[in-house]
Amino acid sequence: FMGKAFLDLRTLEVEKTHFIRLPLEDGAGTISLLLTITGTVGPNSTTDLDYNKESTTVSSRYIDSMIRRYGLLNSFKNLDDVGWLQVKVLRAEGLASADMNGKSDPLCTLQLVNQYVQTHTAYKTLSPEWGKLFEL
């Protein structure tokens, strides 16, 4: 275990992609991610991400379609349909060494209530690049 960071999703604006850099506990480094809270339903998935800082906004056409789909008139059609969270895990920096060789084998785990997803393990590095997109 190399560290963890917490993020209160209630503080974030919905339908907007946020670039977030969080410090890990005890100064163990930082983790960077793109996070979007939106009112759609998507399957649990992991996707490789071709990260481009300029393409971090949700299109207005997409937002309009979601407003129609989840507007007041449609809000009780499917009570289990509460939305999904999309998190893009980009990289971590300045991680503490955990191996004898001065490196580590880090991975990133995300938890939303009882659901966990994780990136692949990046071997022998203190600055892993994951570039993964998770939908919860």
Side-chain angles (χ1 to χ4, degrees):
F1 181 77
M2 298 179 70
K4 64 178 152 180
F6 293 96
L7 176 63
D8 185 350
L9 299 178
R10 295 173 294 182
T11 65
L12 300 176
E13 186 179 341
V14 296
E15 302 300 343
K16 178 181 176 189
T17 301
H18 304 272
F19 177 77
I20 299 170
R21 175 171 276 160
L22 296 170
L24 298 176
E25 287 182 346
D26 302 325
T30 61
I31 187 159
S32 300
L33 51 96
L34 292 171
L35 186 138
T36 305
I37 300 172
T38 187
T40 62
V41 169
N44 294 343
S45 66
T46 304
T47 306
D48 283 323
L49 176 68
D50 186 13
Y51 173 62
N52 177 355
K53 285 186 180 177
E54 284 73 42
S55 64
T56 60
T57 58
V58 179
S59 76
S60 61
R61 185 173 42 171
Y62 178 75
I63 292 172
D64 290 342
S65 72
M66 292 304 106
I67 289 171
R68 282 191 304 277
R69 182 174 177 183
Y70 293 100
L72 186 60
L73 295 175
N74 295 325
S75 61
F76 295 105
K77 285 189 176 179
N78 182 354
L79 295 178
D80 292 329
D81 188 358
V82 296
W84 58 282
L85 172 69
Q86 184 179 75
V87 180
K88 299 173 184 177
V89 180
L90 304 176
R91 66 184 167 272
E93 299 169 339
L95 298 178
S97 172
D99 294 346
M100 297 287 281
N101 64 4
K103 301 287 183 179
S104 294
D105 300 329
L107 59 87
C108 178
T109 303
L110 304 174
Q111 175 187 355
L112 180 63
V113 190
N114 299 3
Q115 188 175 9
Y116 295 85
V117 292
Q118 71 181 31
T119 65
H120 64 277
T121 301
Y123 293 98
K124 299 180 181 170
T125 182
L126 298 179
S127 298
E129 300 255 347
W130 293 292
K132 293 288 181 183
L133 177 98
F134 295 96
E135 294 175 356
L136 304 160

